[in-house]
Amino acid sequence: MSGITIPEKSKEEVTAAVDLQKAYYGSGKTRPLEARKAHLKKLGEVLRENESKILKALHDDLNKSEREAYTTEIGILLEEINFTLKNLDSWAKPKKVKTAVTHFGSKGYRIPEPYGVSLIIAPWNYPIQLAISPLIGALAAGNTAILKPSEITPNTSRVLVELFEDFEKGLIHVLEGGVETNQLLLDQPFDYIFFTGSVPVGKIVMEAASKRLIPVTLELGGKSPCIVHEDADLSLAAKRVAFGKLANSGQTCIAPDYLFVHENVKESFIEEYKKAVHEFYGNEPFQSDQYGKVVNKRHYTRLKSYLSDGEVIYGGGFSDENLQIQPTLLKPRSTEVPVMTEEIFGPIFPVLTYGSLEEVKSFVTSRPKPLALYLFTGSENVERDITENLSFGGGCINDTLMHIVTPHLPFGGVGESGIGSYHGESSFSTFSHYKSILKQTTRFDFSFKYPNSKNGLKILRRLLK
């Protein structure tokens, strides 16, 4: 870490930034599709031109390797921009709808329009991707945006400011700061708020938005289960589970949070998991340039405390100096200890066993609905049983994390894990209000709708029968 301290913004600075955005949006400059495309193209160029600067900041803040940082932070954004540019004309067109029998002669349309000035509050774990990914949707839909990056990753926060210095004033504004700045922003009259972060803070955001009836998208988290059934390909499953659990040193909102492995294959799976970790990071993960660190001392201390919540069956080592914890498998003392009730956000993996899927379903349904769920099985019946009977934001069969990468799938939570979704067309839809328009014919008129119609009720009943 470089020791960067990010000062809070004053009320005057925050108000001035919002007023500038309101004026820019009111000028109509964000409305033309060609202007939106130009902004998106410029965003792609800025990401490419500043790749080395972004990679360095991510390494300084999170010890992310170049491979991981490019794949999960930059590459995914470039793909999202390209996908949006290819499809924006289609998404922005008025959509014709069917005509009801009672509206013969009329035409109905849904016309997308931007909300206006949006606030995007980004987290620290993927500080580039999770700031800019929703921004792509906001710009595509014709909004302006204020970005509030996390003060926990100050190097990346500073880079975000620099990335948008050459954009038109009033279109995109990065406001750095901490909790006080967030509070000031939440007091402003935004037209839309997009928040990614923890459940407790998400509740604060929603409460603040409710005072002005501001629509929100909340991308939160929770404890995402990973289920390994007895018929799974254990070697492949272990490799894909380890990939999902240990990316960004476990600091991923959709990381597998706890493992349910069938009792018949528990020991075999654990051995395969150890092999996968060794394949990824060698004998000593702390010496690997592919293994990240915990973002700060506070989160590191919290994670270390989880090690006492059960029996360590693999790993368990830590480095106070480097803020690193080994990839760890833990047998929890009970399902009520903190490691089983709090979102882990680290490389510690509680292991539970089951004999029947009913045990798994009963446990998962007794907890808040998770953001993600992962199932490893070769049985379509097992797949159908889990996907039809458990509620969760999204997930994978025989993989982890990869559902977030495709722009063809909306990403979002349900219940306490989030409200709303984005990615691809869903991002455009999230930042758009759809006006419903009925264009009525003037070539003829229906008398049955008027109060003085003698047979109006009879005709209407016949039509609606």
Side-chain angles (χ1 to χ4, degrees):
M1 293 288 291
S2 62
I4 296 175
T5 300
I6 296 178
E8 299 285 0
K9 290 291 185 288
S10 68
K11 182 177 180 180
E12 291 73 23
E13 288 176 299
V14 170
T15 301
V18 175
D19 288 345
L20 183 61
Q21 293 251 319
K22 292 279 186 183
Y24 188 91
Y25 178 75
S27 72
K29 292 181 180 179
T30 67
R31 296 284 184 141
L33 280 182
E34 290 310 310
R36 303 183 198 183
K37 291 177 185 177
H39 297 147
L40 291 171
K41 289 175 183 176
K42 184 173 181 178
L43 179 56
E45 292 169 1
V46 164
L47 288 172
R48 293 185 184 93
E49 291 168 0
N50 291 275
E51 179 182 315
S52 59
K53 185 185 296 185
I54 293 169
L55 294 176
K56 184 180 185 306
L58 291 168
H59 182 270
D60 290 344
D61 284 334
L62 290 155
N63 200 41
K64 287 194 179 188
S65 69
E66 181 177 338
R67 178 202 58 80
E68 182 174 315
Y70 183 84
T71 303
T72 64
E73 301 266 13
I74 300 175
I76 192 172
L77 292 174
L78 295 176
E79 174 62 23
E80 183 84 5
I81 291 170
N82 290 336
F83 185 82
T84 301
L85 286 169
K86 288 177 183 177
N87 292 280
L88 184 55
D89 286 339
S90 173
W91 297 343
K93 283 181 180 178
K95 301 294 190 298
K96 194 173 181 180
V97 300
K98 290 184 178 181
T99 301
V101 65
T102 51
H103 291 61
F104 179 77
S106 68
K107 296 178 181 179
Y109 300 90
R110 295 174 67 241
I111 301 177
E113 69 171 6
Y115 278 105
V117 178
S118 59
L119 169 63
I120 298 171
I121 303 177
W124 53 262
N125 58 327
Y126 291 88
I128 294 292
Q129 183 216 137
L130 295 179
I132 295 179
S133 184
L135 175 65
I136 294 169
L139 295 178
N143 301 270
T144 67
I146 287 181
L147 296 185
K148 169 56 180 66
S150 173
E151 73 281 7
I152 294 177
T153 45
N155 294 284
T156 315
S157 178
R158 177 54 52 189
V159 166
L160 279 169
V161 172
E162 295 171 3
L163 291 183
F164 296 105
E165 284 178 340
D166 292 335
F167 279 77
E168 293 181 67
K169 301 299 181 185
L171 175 65
I172 304 167
H173 190 100
V174 180
L175 269 179
E176 294 184 283
V179 174
E180 293 177 23
T181 301
N182 275 338
Q183 291 171 339
L184 290 172
L185 284 166
L186 291 174
D187 285 337
Q188 296 295 313
F190 286 99
D191 299 300
Y192 202 92
I193 297 176
F194 191 106
F195 170 80
T196 304
S198 68
V199 174
V201 180
K203 291 178 180 179
I204 294 171
V205 171
M206 190 168 185
E207 181 181 5
S210 71
K211 295 175 182 177
R212 295 181 182 270
L213 297 180
I214 301 171
V216 299
T217 292
L218 303 178
E219 297 296 342
L220 307 177
K223 298 189 72 64
S224 299
C226 180
I227 305 162
V228 178
H229 201 50
E230 61 181 329
D231 61 354
D233 180 329
L234 296 184
S235 176
L236 187 59
K239 193 171 185 178
R240 291 176 176 176
V241 172
F243 157 74
K245 179 61 182 176
L246 301 175
N248 199 24
S249 200
Q251 298 167 119
T252 304
C253 62
I254 55 170
D257 198 88
Y258 62 94
L259 174 68
F260 256 120
V261 58
H262 196 280
E263 58 191 15
N264 291 344
V265 296
K266 174 189 173 185
E267 298 304 327
S268 298
F269 178 82
I270 289 174
E271 289 306 311
E272 294 295 338
Y273 188 87
K274 293 178 182 177
K275 291 178 186 177
V277 173
H278 182 270
E279 181 182 341
F280 293 167
Y281 308 113
N283 288 326
E284 182 47 73
F286 295 167
Q287 304 303 318
S288 171
D289 61 4
Q290 299 296 313
Y291 194 65
K293 72 178 186 68
V294 181
V295 67
N296 61 20
K297 189 65 177 289
R298 180 172 65 87
H299 283 281
Y300 172 75
T301 302
R302 174 183 60 82
L303 287 169
K304 270 182 66 177
S305 72
Y306 291 151
L307 296 173
S308 62
D309 284 345
E311 175 191 351
V312 173
I313 54 181
Y314 173 65
F318 49 85
S319 169
D320 292 343
E321 180 183 358
N322 298 320
L323 302 184
Q324 289 181 303
I325 293 178
Q326 288 180 342
T328 298
L329 296 177
L330 185 77
K331 181 182 178 181
R333 288 198 311 274
S334 77
T335 56
E336 301 306 319
V337 291
V339 78
M340 285 302 301
T341 59
E342 300 171 1
E343 187 175 9
I344 296 171
F345 237 62
I348 300 168
F349 206 11
V351 180
L352 305 175
T353 58
Y354 70 95
S356 73
L357 286 176
E358 294 306 314
E359 298 172 53
V360 176
K361 291 188 290 184
S362 176
F363 184 86
V364 175
T365 54
S366 70
R367 304 291 174 111
K369 296 176 181 179
L371 179 57
L373 182 144
Y374 305 109
L375 171 65
F376 290 82
T377 181
S379 167
E380 290 189 2
N381 288 333
V382 170
E383 176 185 335
R384 191 178 307 111
D385 189 12
I386 294 297
T387 57
E388 290 182 359
N389 290 295
L390 292 180
S391 180
F392 52 95
C396 302
I397 308 298
N398 295 320
D399 209 345
T400 60
L401 307 192
M402 297 305 291
H403 64 296
I404 197 176
V405 179
T406 169
H408 299 282
L409 284 175
F411 172 76
V414 59
E416 285 197 18
S417 61
I419 296 172
S421 61
Y422 71 125
H423 288 182
E425 187 173 5
S426 291
S427 289
F428 178 85
S429 299
T430 287
F431 285 95
S432 297
H433 164 67
Y434 286 82
K435 293 185 289 193
S436 298
I437 304 295
L438 183 77
K439 184 177 181 180
Q440 188 62 273
T441 182
T442 57
R443 290 180 296 168
F444 53 85
D445 197 15
F446 288 114
S447 61
F448 66 79
K449 67 181 180 182
Y450 298 114
N452 62 346
S453 173
K454 293 181 180 180
N455 298 311
L457 185 58
K458 183 187 294 185
I459 295 170
L460 188 59
R461 280 176 170 160
R462 189 174 300 167
L463 288 171
L464 298 176
K465 187 175 180 180

